[in-house]
């Protein structure tokens, strides 16, 4: 079971790490404020999912110790916060971009 979870968590962490870096670079290079915000929101979504995967590793694959549970819970809370903040900002900036097009 642990091997199956490793095959799930490791690629998930790597993919979301690459997406976070790509959206970070795109956001920093963009001149338009709304598109910059959209890329930053996507970066936050990717980073939130990555933190949730890291929390899953800490909580499910490691030997049970108090420190690992605390760190896993902290990563889980930060990941959920990043995910929801990114989703909220993504919808806000997407609406702004659609309003500009009209």
């Amino acid at each position: 079971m642990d091997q199956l979870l490793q095959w799930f968590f490791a690629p998930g962490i790597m993919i979301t790490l690459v997406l976070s870096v790509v959206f970070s670079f795109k956001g920093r290079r963009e001149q338009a404020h709304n598109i910059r915000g959209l890329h930053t929101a996507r970066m936050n979504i990717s980073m939130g999912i990555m933190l949730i995967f890291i929390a899953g590793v800490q909580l499910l694959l490691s030997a049970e110790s108090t420190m690992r549970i605390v760190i896993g819970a902290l990563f889980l809370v930060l990941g959920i916060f990043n995910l929801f903040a990114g989703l909220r900002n993504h919808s806000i900036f997407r609406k702004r971009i659609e309003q500009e097009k009209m």
Side-chain angles (χ1 to χ4, degrees):
M1 182 67 177
D2 285 347
Q3 194 114 22
L4 180 64
L5 287 175
Q6 285 177 352
W7 281 102
F8 174 71
F9 284 131
I13 291 171
M14 292 300 160
I15 291 168
T16 54
L17 175 65
V18 169
L19 287 174
S20 295
V21 170
V22 167
F23 288 131
S24 176
F25 280 126
K26 282 185 176 183
R28 291 174 195 270
R29 292 185 179 267
E30 185 61 47
Q31 297 296 322
H33 175 68
N34 288 335
I35 298 175
R36 175 181 280 189
L38 192 65
H39 288 307
T40 305
R42 289 176 180 163
M43 179 192 66
N44 281 342
I45 292 169
S46 299
M47 196 176 303
I49 294 170
M50 179 180 62
L51 287 169
I52 291 171
F53 280 144
I54 293 171
V57 168
Q58 290 295 317
L59 294 173
L60 299 175
L61 294 179
S62 303
E64 291 184 18
S65 71
T66 306
M67 185 61 80
R68 287 194 185 267
I69 292 172
V70 169
I71 291 172
L74 182 66
F75 280 177
L76 184 64
V77 169
L78 287 172
I80 290 171
F81 176 77
N82 248 4
L83 179 64
F84 283 121
L87 289 171
R88 184 196 64 195
N89 290 338
H90 191 273
S91 67
I92 289 170
F93 283 110
R94 190 184 53 202
K95 286 178 186 176
R96 286 184 184 176
I97 291 171
E98 288 174 2
Q99 288 175 351
E100 282 182 357
K101 290 181 180 179
M102 291 183 174

